[in-house]
Amino acid sequence: AWIWVYALSGFLLKIVALWEFAKSKVRLAEKPLTYLGVVTIMAVTVGYLGLLAMPVSSVQAVVSPQDLRELRSAGMELPPEAASKMIKKYGYYDVIQNVRGPGIDNDFVLMHGDSVVYDSTTGLYWQQSGSSQYLKFEPAQAYIDSLNAAGFGTYVDWRLPTLAEAMSLMQPEQNEHGLFIEPVFDEKQLWIWTADKYSASASWTVGFGYGGCGYDVGSNVYVRAVR
């Protein structure tokens, strides 16, 4: 893509050089690479802004519980290429990898004193809130253990979500709190851990504050458990 944009920029500069007014202003022969770089950056910026301005599809995708079970059984290490393919396949919204993704048609119901959110679309039960503070990955696992020991929401099988599960909560539009997630969830957990590994030393995270997923090694991130 960069090569094509670069070639287009060179073509545009040649056209500009034919313009009499530009001949006295654009010293193409003196600084060809500078002008080529500037035009390339402008072309990429205009193209990306145009993509953002395009309306997101109103037809939401549906990810079934079976889909998520298959993804969960596929293994815990998820390379970037596989993650990107999964995001696009299921229509998940991601500000970088799938900006026109419609998200999925969730159907949320509050349960157990509004502490648990059930999604009948995916068959998943979520914490309505999550950890009250940022945690590193190892303490995040300990936090999950504490939920199960206490029988949170009457359940004892809470765990960290997979990347596919966490991304199923991502919505293509911000709610009133500025997060890309339904307002049924607590706004404090704007960034959560997943159980999937980006690499041997880093885990995937999902950020509802900026609308996408990434990876982290040693930072502090919130936890929102699932079952």
Side-chain angles (χ1 to χ4, degrees), residues 4-220:
W4 281 107
V5 172
Y6 207 61
L8 175 62
S9 299
F11 178 72
L12 291 175
L13 281 175
K14 287 182 179 180
I15 293 177
V16 170
L18 297 175
W19 187 24
E20 290 298 328
F21 176 77
K23 288 181 179 180
S24 61
K25 300 294 182 181
V26 179
R27 299 178 180 178
L28 186 58
E30 297 179 13
K31 300 180 179 179
L33 292 180
T34 298
Y35 284 110
L36 192 56
V38 169
V39 174
T40 300
I41 292 172
M42 290 176 63
V44 171
T45 302
V46 170
Y48 185 67
L49 291 176
L51 183 62
L52 290 178
M54 295 176 68
V56 175
S57 172
S58 60
V59 179
Q60 291 187 303
V62 174
V63 178
S64 70
Q66 179 62 29
D67 289 330
L68 291 175
R69 278 195 295 272
E70 290 176 356
L71 287 167
R72 192 159 60 239
S73 64
M76 298 298 285
E77 188 164 335
L78 198 63
E81 298 79 8
S84 180
K85 183 177 179 180
M86 177 271 293
I87 288 169
K88 293 173 182 175
K89 177 181 178 180
Y90 292 109
Y92 292 147
Y93 174 81
D94 185 286
V95 69
I96 300 298
Q97 302 181 75
N98 198 20
V99 71
R100 297 200 68 203
I104 72 170
D105 190 13
N106 304 102
D107 185 14
F108 295 124
V109 178
L110 283 166
M111 305 173 61
H112 302 293
D114 295 348
S115 63
V116 175
V117 179
Y118 174 63
D119 182 3
S120 63
T121 298
T122 61
L124 296 173
Y125 293 80
W126 293 91
Q127 271 187 296
Q128 187 275 336
S129 55
S131 62
S132 60
Q133 58 185 358
Y134 289 124
L135 298 170
K136 294 186 184 298
F137 189 77
E138 291 303 324
Q141 298 283 5
Y143 173 80
I144 295 291
D145 292 339
S146 70
L147 291 179
N148 290 325
F152 177 78
T154 73
Y155 304 115
V156 293
D157 56 349
W158 295 101
R159 55 183 173 77
L160 288 176
T162 64
L163 178 62
E165 290 169 336
M167 287 298 290
S168 76
L169 301 181
M170 191 72 69
Q171 294 296 308
E173 296 181 355
Q174 292 173 295
N175 62 27
E176 60 263 38
H177 304 296
L179 303 180
F180 292 85
I181 190 172
E182 290 289 341
V184 69
F185 290 98
D186 192 337
E187 68 271 17
K188 186 171 187 177
Q189 291 74 29
L190 73 168
W191 187 26
I192 64 173
W193 284 112
T194 81
D196 284 338
K197 293 289 186 179
Y198 175 89
S199 66
S201 60
S203 296
W204 284 101
T205 61
V206 170
F208 302 108
Y210 66 91
C213 62
Y215 66 95
D216 212 288
V217 179
S219 294
N220 294 318

